[in-house]
């Protein structure tokens, strides 16, 4: 049998950053997946970092972590949330990884006698990487999102690689995402799109499809102009309008018969009908929720940059849709809470409180105050990674009476180091890729909220969630905490690291893992669902509702 031919779809961005290439790539992948094709999205980032692990969320948004522990760009979160599929680390191609390969080979003498060049040596490395991935994954379609904008020096060699691959491998569609500004209502300007397309053409690439972001629906006139000046058939120019939620985009593209066009270009069956029923149902719930919104406070440190907590926000969106409620997020800067005399002034109106992951000292005491408020007032609480460590610190200080208890991350000399470095972290000097990373399973105790959340329907509960941290609950303090009523509901099967803790008196649960990273629209994170149910119940029955197990 001849080998299956992999199709490629390349998505480039133009004019400006932030147009939502990741969402477009994911939406296209969704339309193919909904027709039974296996898809694998990959992303190229031109920077010279090996991965995203050492990047600041303030500048680059959230660092996403895959099952295998690779720290990647936040676009991977979008791919997985849309596709309900876990991706391997080799889907992330960075300039750093590619240059490192070439330089390592050069030092070994593998190019002996030659000068080593971007073309062909670097471009060959990239082609080999993508072809290997195609072979390993056996995907019907590989979608390649090119980071940055067309014309950037950082991605020029990658565009050149795509040009070569298109020529040799064939079956490749090139999609250019552009922006069409309106000078005044009804006056759409296509010139930037024309220039941007020239740039792509001068790199030897003709787009097959142009997708235009804009403030108002793309006029027929604008469509015609784009078609005429950019050599793209009119039926291949698509609208990417302002939407209520990003999850609407697959449906919006579907209505424009996007699939039919792309299928023709890459030679797939263009008559196939999609199964988008579940997707439509959930999108409908986000757009028009049945009940009054649940108000959730995210008490964090990067609240001015919403992208820093994008997976947390999306996990809330997914779980709100699951319980068929609306959602209103309050972004609370933790260090501001430190300045107010009574945190109730800020937190009183919320139905649930969330403390996300984080590093460094700023805002720590504010987060602890928020957790104390949630526990004392029986407001449902969910903590993620640092949110677990601080739940333990708060409990140690205020319930166990361990004055000054802290994490050694914030107070090296604390009398009660209830959170301390993981044993394997003591000798770590290099910062890149050295945390406890990736998905690991845990043992869940019966009769807990966690057991209910992760129930596999056969009487046992299993969880495999993704980690990214250096500290853990200090094993020396576990019995003291448990004696005073803290529930340790999950631990690592071998190392015994505390994975999940719960309160007994009201709904409070926190995980050492970043459970938000595996939340998908069609499969929300189980503990987020429980959290939302508790928030809903609190509205219905009042604040005294004690958690049901
Ligand atoms: N700073 C903490 C640690 O390293 C928590 C990390 C996190 O929240 N991802 O363990």
């Amino acid at each position: 049998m001849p080998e299956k031919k992999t199709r490629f779809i390349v998505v480039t961005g133009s004019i400006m950053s932030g147009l939502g290439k990741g969402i477009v790539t994911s939406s296209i992948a969704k339309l193919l997946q909904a027709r039974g094709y296996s898809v694998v999205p990959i992303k190229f980032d031109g920077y010279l970092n090996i991965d995203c692990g050492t990047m600041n969320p303030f500048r680059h948004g959230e660092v996403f972590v895959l099952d295998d522990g690779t720290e990647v760009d936040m676009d991977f979160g979008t791919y997985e949330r849309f596709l309900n599929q876990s991706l391997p680390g080799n889907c992330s191609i960075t300039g750093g990884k590619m240059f490192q390969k070439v330089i390592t080979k050069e030092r070994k003498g593998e190019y002996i006698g030659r000068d080593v060049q971007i073309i062909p040596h670097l471009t060959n490395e990239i082609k080999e990487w993508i072809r290997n991935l195609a072979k390993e994954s056996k995907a019907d379609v590989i979608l390649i999102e090119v980071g940055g904008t067309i014309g950037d020096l950082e991605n020029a060699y990658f565009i050149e690689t795509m040009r070569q691959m298109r020529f040799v491998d064939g079956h490749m569609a090139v999609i250019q995402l552009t922006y069409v500004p309106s000078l005044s209502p009804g006056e759409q300007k296509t010139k930037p799109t024309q220039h941007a397309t020239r740039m792509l053409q001068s790199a030897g690439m003709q787009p097959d499809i142009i997708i235009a972001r804009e403030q108002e629906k793309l006029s027929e006139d604008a469509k015609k102009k784009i078609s005429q000046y950019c050599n793209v058939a009119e039926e291949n120019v698509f609208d990417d309008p302002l939407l209520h939620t990003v999850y609407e985009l697959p449906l919006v593209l579907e209505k424009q018969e996007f699939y039919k066009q792309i299928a023709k270009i890459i030679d797939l069956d263009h008559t196939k009908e999609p199964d988008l029923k579940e997707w439509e149902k959930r999108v409908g719930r986000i757009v028009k929720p049945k009940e009054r919104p649940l108000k959730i406070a995210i008490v964090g440190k990067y609240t001015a940059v919403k992208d820093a907590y994008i997976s947390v926000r999306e996990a809330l969106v997914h779980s709100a849709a699951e319980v068929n409620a609306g959602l209103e997020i309050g972004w609370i800067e933790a260090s501001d809470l430190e300045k107010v005399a009574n945190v109730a002034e800020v937190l009183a109106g919320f139905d649930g409180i969330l403390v996300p992951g984080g590093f460094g000292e700023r805002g720590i005491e504010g987060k602890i105050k928020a957790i104390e408020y949630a526990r004392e007032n029986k407001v449902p609480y969910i903590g993620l990674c640092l949110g677990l460590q601080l739940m333990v610190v708060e409990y140690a200080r205020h319930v166990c009476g361990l004055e000054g208890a802290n994490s050694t991350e914030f107070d090296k000399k604390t009398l009660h180091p209830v959170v301390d470095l993981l044993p394997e972290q003591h000798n770590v000097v290099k910062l890149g890729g050295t945390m406890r990373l990736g998905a690991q399973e845990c043992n869940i105790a019966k009769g807990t909220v966690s057991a209910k959340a992760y129930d596999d329907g056969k009487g046992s509960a299993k969880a495999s969630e993704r980690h990214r941290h250096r500290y853990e609950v200090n094993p020396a303090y576990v019995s003291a905490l448990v004696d005073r009523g803290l529930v340790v509901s999950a631990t690592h099967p071998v190392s015994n690291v505390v994975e999940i803790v719960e309160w007994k008196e009201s709904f409070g649960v926190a995980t050492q893992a970043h459970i938000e990273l595996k939340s998908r629209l069609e499969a929300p994170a189980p503990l987020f669902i429980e959290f939302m149910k508790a928030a809903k119940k609190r509205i219905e029955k009042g604040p005294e509702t004690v958690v049901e197990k």
Side-chain angles (χ1 to χ4, degrees):
M1 261 219 333
E3 247 190 77
K4 190 174 81 173
K5 188 89 194 142
T6 312
R7 273 80 170 168
F8 297 99
I9 297 176
V10 177
V11 181
T12 61
S14 65
I15 301 171
M16 57 186 178
S17 61
L19 290 181
K21 261 188 306 213
I23 294 156
V24 165
T25 307
S26 305
S27 299
I28 299 169
K30 189 77 202 168
L31 295 184
L32 296 162
Q33 187 196 52
R35 284 164 167 97
Y37 292 115
S38 58
V39 291
V40 171
I42 66 181
K43 168 113 199 260
F44 168 77
D45 281 300
Y47 42 69
L48 296 180
N49 305 60
I50 298 291
D51 58 40
C52 288
T54 54
M55 293 189 196
N56 183 342
F58 257 129
R59 277 183 66 104
H60 298 279
E62 166 189 271
V63 178
F64 197 77
V65 185
L66 301 174
D67 274 344
D68 64 13
T70 314
E71 296 167 285
V72 288
D73 183 89
M74 63 179 191
D75 277 320
F76 281 86
T78 313
Y79 303 155
E80 292 198 345
R81 286 189 281 275
F82 273 66
L83 299 172
N84 192 8
Q85 182 178 322
S86 296
L87 297 167
N90 56 353
C91 288
S92 165
I93 307 179
T94 62
K97 282 186 194 173
M98 293 303 120
F99 277 96
Q100 192 183 44
K101 276 190 126 223
V102 172
I103 291 167
T104 308
K105 277 190 178 170
E106 188 276 333
R107 288 289 81 185
K108 278 196 199 152
E110 287 188 27
Y111 307 111
I112 204 80
R114 269 221 60 162
D115 50 338
V116 184
Q117 294 180 303
I118 301 265
I119 307 168
H121 301 105
L122 192 70
T123 50
N124 281 351
E125 261 337 304
I126 300 173
K127 278 187 284 186
E128 195 185 313
W129 185 291
I130 295 174
R131 286 175 186 148
N132 281 343
L133 186 76
K135 224 187 262 163
E136 274 167 34
S137 69
K138 299 192 182 67
D140 294 317
V141 185
I142 290 199
L143 296 103
I144 306 170
E145 179 187 342
V146 186
T149 13
I150 193 76
D152 291 352
L153 198 55
E154 275 83 3
N155 61 28
Y157 60 86
F158 194 81
I159 299 283
E160 164 59 17
T161 313
M162 293 299 96
R163 187 196 65 74
Q164 294 175 19
M165 268 190 82
R166 186 187 217 182
F167 184 65
V168 178
D169 300 49
H171 286 94
M172 180 188 280
V174 176
I175 300 177
Q176 166 108 305
L177 179 62
T178 73
Y179 183 68
V180 176
S182 297
L183 275 187
S184 59
E187 204 188 342
Q188 290 185 314
K189 293 294 179 191
T190 62
K191 196 65 107 198
T193 301
Q194 295 174 33
H195 284 308
T197 306
R198 291 262 157 84
M199 248 190 245
L200 195 57
Q201 287 163 338
S202 69
M205 290 277 263
Q206 168 62 41
D208 300 289
I209 287 179
I210 289 182
I211 302 182
R213 275 286 299 269
E214 47 353 63
Q215 296 300 111
E216 46 181 6
K217 196 174 162 7
L218 202 60
S219 68
E220 279 312 305
D221 192 39
K223 226 181 216 187
K224 268 204 181 77
K225 267 200 186 142
I226 293 175
S227 165
Q228 200 175 12
Y229 288 100
C230 302
N231 301 345
V232 172
E234 234 175 280
E235 62 267 30
N236 286 340
V237 180
F238 293 90
D239 231 351
D240 179 357
L242 277 179
L243 298 169
H244 184 95
T245 160
V246 294
Y247 302 111
E248 274 180 286
L249 190 58
L251 306 175
V252 167
L253 290 175
E254 179 67 22
K255 255 202 210 122
Q256 298 176 58
E257 300 198 323
F258 182 90
Y259 171 76
K260 198 164 124 195
Q261 295 309 115
I262 191 94
K264 283 186 197 161
I265 297 165
I266 52 176
D267 194 24
L268 294 175
D269 177 2
H270 70 271
T271 61
K272 266 197 181 184
E273 287 299 322
D275 179 1
L276 286 163
K277 274 195 284 308
E278 183 64 26
W279 190 263
E280 256 171 297
K281 181 183 97 188
R282 289 175 188 260
V283 171
R285 286 180 174 190
I286 299 174
V287 177
K288 259 200 197 137
K290 219 171 101 205
E291 287 161 43
R292 93 130 165 88
L294 297 170
K295 292 187 190 154
I296 307 297
I298 297 183
V299 184
K301 164 171 161 184
Y302 309 108
T303 55
V305 197
K306 306 285 181 288
D307 276 355
Y309 297 121
I310 184 161
S311 291
V312 175
R313 188 184 66 199
E314 294 307 309
L316 288 172
V317 170
H318 305 158
S319 49
E322 175 80 21
V323 302
N324 211 349
L327 174 68
E328 218 176 279
I329 296 178
W331 298 92
I332 314 284
E333 193 58 37
S335 46
D336 291 347
L337 279 187
E338 290 169 7
K339 294 172 210 145
V340 296
N342 182 2
V343 291
E345 286 165 28
V346 183
L347 297 174
F350 288 102
D351 308 312
I353 293 174
L354 183 153
V355 173
F359 296 82
E361 209 184 334
R362 186 167 66 79
I364 291 303
E365 292 303 322
K367 290 176 190 174
I368 294 173
K369 270 181 154 186
I371 299 170
E372 183 182 16
Y373 172 85
R375 187 178 51 75
E376 287 190 337
N377 295 282
K378 296 189 163 58
V379 182
Y381 169 73
I382 189 163
L384 309 167
C385 203
L386 179 66
L388 169 135
Q389 296 171 359
L390 297 183
M391 178 168 162
V392 167
V393 170
E394 191 280 328
Y395 206 85
R397 285 186 193 173
H398 303 133
V399 181
C400 304
L402 301 173
E403 214 177 302
N406 213 332
S407 162
T408 50
E409 182 179 0
F410 314 120
D411 181 0
K412 296 256 171 306
K413 294 191 191 111
T414 171
L415 275 183
H416 300 292
V418 289
V419 175
D420 199 8
L421 266 186
L422 285 155
E424 69 268 24
Q425 289 290 326
H426 282 285
N427 299 321
V428 168
V429 251
K430 285 189 187 160
L431 291 185
T434 54
M435 284 188 239
R436 179 186 180 210
L437 288 167
Q440 293 186 16
E441 289 199 356
C442 61
N443 290 336
I444 299 178
K446 288 213 166 85
T448 57
V449 171
S450 308
K452 187 176 155 210
Y454 286 104
D455 188 351
D456 63 0
K458 292 178 211 130
S460 60
K462 273 211 170 64
S464 170
E465 300 285 3
R466 297 174 182 172
H467 297 74
R468 184 172 188 261
H469 65 113
R470 296 191 197 278
Y471 291 79
E472 63 161 335
V473 178
N474 187 342
Y477 282 88
V478 170
S479 62
L481 292 157
V482 171
D483 284 350
R484 296 306 301 266
L486 191 71
V487 180
V488 174
S489 52
T491 49
H492 188 272
V494 182
S495 69
N496 255 337
V497 171
V498 170
E499 296 284 13
I500 313 182
V501 296
E502 300 174 12
W503 290 328
K504 268 192 193 137
E505 304 301 321
S506 63
F507 187 95
V509 64
T511 60
Q512 188 56 79
H514 286 274
I515 53 171
E516 73 276 18
L517 300 181
K518 275 175 101 165
S519 185
R520 284 97 192 244
L521 180 61
E522 291 164 301
L527 283 170
F528 270 78
I529 299 176
E530 294 307 314
F531 171 62
M532 286 308 207
K533 281 186 188 162
K536 216 172 145 179
K537 204 175 280 174
R538 189 170 181 271
I539 297 178
E540 288 159 6
K541 297 193 180 160
E544 286 309 305
T545 312
V546 171
V547 59
E548 268 172 33
K549 301 223 174 104

